[in-house]
Amino acid sequence: MQRFPPLTHGDITLRALAKRDFRVLRKLLITDREWLIPWEATTPGIRYPLDVRWMIRSLMSQAKKGTGLALVMEYEGKVVGQLNVANILFGSVSSANIGYWIAKNSAGKSIVPISVAIAIDHLFTEVGLHRVEIDIRPENTASLRVVEKLGLRQEGVKERFIHIDGHWRDHVVFAITSEELKGSLLSRVQNTGGQ
């Protein structure tokens, strides 16, 4: 099982995904289909039905292997979304990628930027990684605002990078290395007023 202690800041907690989260995640993913579909990865030529059990098993398997962290975001004690750390590599690369989603009615409360900051601080200080990357579709203004609040560096564009909603989509690359961070990333979010 993944080793990720629950991390809390105010009303926001980032904790390890558990099998028991199935019902609440399924409900959120079904309720917010229209909100989430424009940003979810797809397989070219295939439309799969939403399979939350498979998703949870897959994410927990990656966590068990040490190649990822499967996490849920909680606000005031309730699950409101997910944050996943993927492609964890050590050695000469020492990096990972972060992806996330949040329920529509919980957006705009700084849950995502605080959760991402907590995760990156953990990856640098506890896991010992050197670099963390977040790839965002240029049309996703809410996620662009997250990396802006965090002060992540824009590196460029990955053209036709991920198949999303039926098409190969460009993604803007944002990253941060441990050397760029003075103090914690969480303090950066707090200095922006947590908006």
Side-chain angles (χ1 to χ4, degrees):
M1 185 124 180
Q2 65 183 342
R3 283 173 261 141
F4 190 90
L7 302 174
T8 300
H9 180 77
D11 291 332
I12 299 166
T13 298
L14 193 60
R15 67 162 174 82
L17 173 69
K19 289 179 184 176
R20 71 176 186 272
D21 294 315
F22 165 75
R23 283 191 179 90
V24 67
L25 290 175
R26 185 173 186 274
K27 181 178 179 184
L28 291 173
L29 288 164
I30 289 172
T31 300
D32 286 343
R33 289 318 298 145
E34 287 184 39
W35 163 260
L36 296 170
I37 280 177
W39 320 116
E40 289 179 348
T42 52
T43 302
I46 301 172
R47 281 289 185 183
Y48 293 105
L50 181 63
D51 188 343
V52 179
R53 280 192 206 285
W54 175 85
M55 177 193 73
I56 289 173
R57 278 194 308 268
S58 176
L59 291 170
M60 292 178 77
S61 173
Q62 291 171 40
K64 188 175 183 179
K65 292 175 189 172
T67 61
L69 289 173
L71 309 171
V72 292
M73 294 181 284
E74 292 181 339
Y75 181 68
E76 296 178 341
K78 295 181 182 176
V79 174
V80 295
Q82 276 188 276
L83 186 149
N84 299 308
V85 180
N87 305 318
I88 295 177
L89 297 170
F90 293 97
S92 59
V93 177
S94 294
S95 70
N97 294 72
I98 288 182
Y100 48 80
W101 64 267
I102 190 162
K104 186 175 183 179
N105 66 359
S106 297
K109 299 177 182 175
S110 288
I111 298 166
V112 173
I114 288 171
S115 295
V116 171
I118 290 170
I120 291 175
D121 286 343
H122 177 80
L123 292 170
F124 285 162
T125 61
E126 301 301 319
V127 179
L129 295 184
H130 172 253
R131 181 179 188 278
V132 176
E133 179 178 309
I134 299 176
D135 303 317
I136 301 172
R137 286 187 53 194
E139 305 86 357
N140 192 339
T141 55
S143 279
L144 292 173
R145 181 74 180 116
V146 169
V147 293
E148 177 186 325
K149 287 179 186 180
L150 296 173
L152 270 61
R153 170 178 33 81
Q154 183 175 336
E155 293 189 329
V157 176
K158 292 181 179 178
E159 295 184 16
R160 297 171 297 283
F161 177 52
I162 301 175
H163 197 270
I164 294 180
D165 197 22
H167 299 282
W168 291 104
R169 308 289 186 168
D170 294 351
H171 282 67
V172 182
V173 180
F174 295 88
I176 188 167
T177 60
S178 55
E179 295 92 344
E180 295 172 77
L181 195 54
K182 307 295 182 233
S184 73
L185 196 55
L186 184 57
S187 66
R188 283 190 188 180
V189 178
Q190 293 170 313
N191 291 335
T192 65
Q195 302 169 7

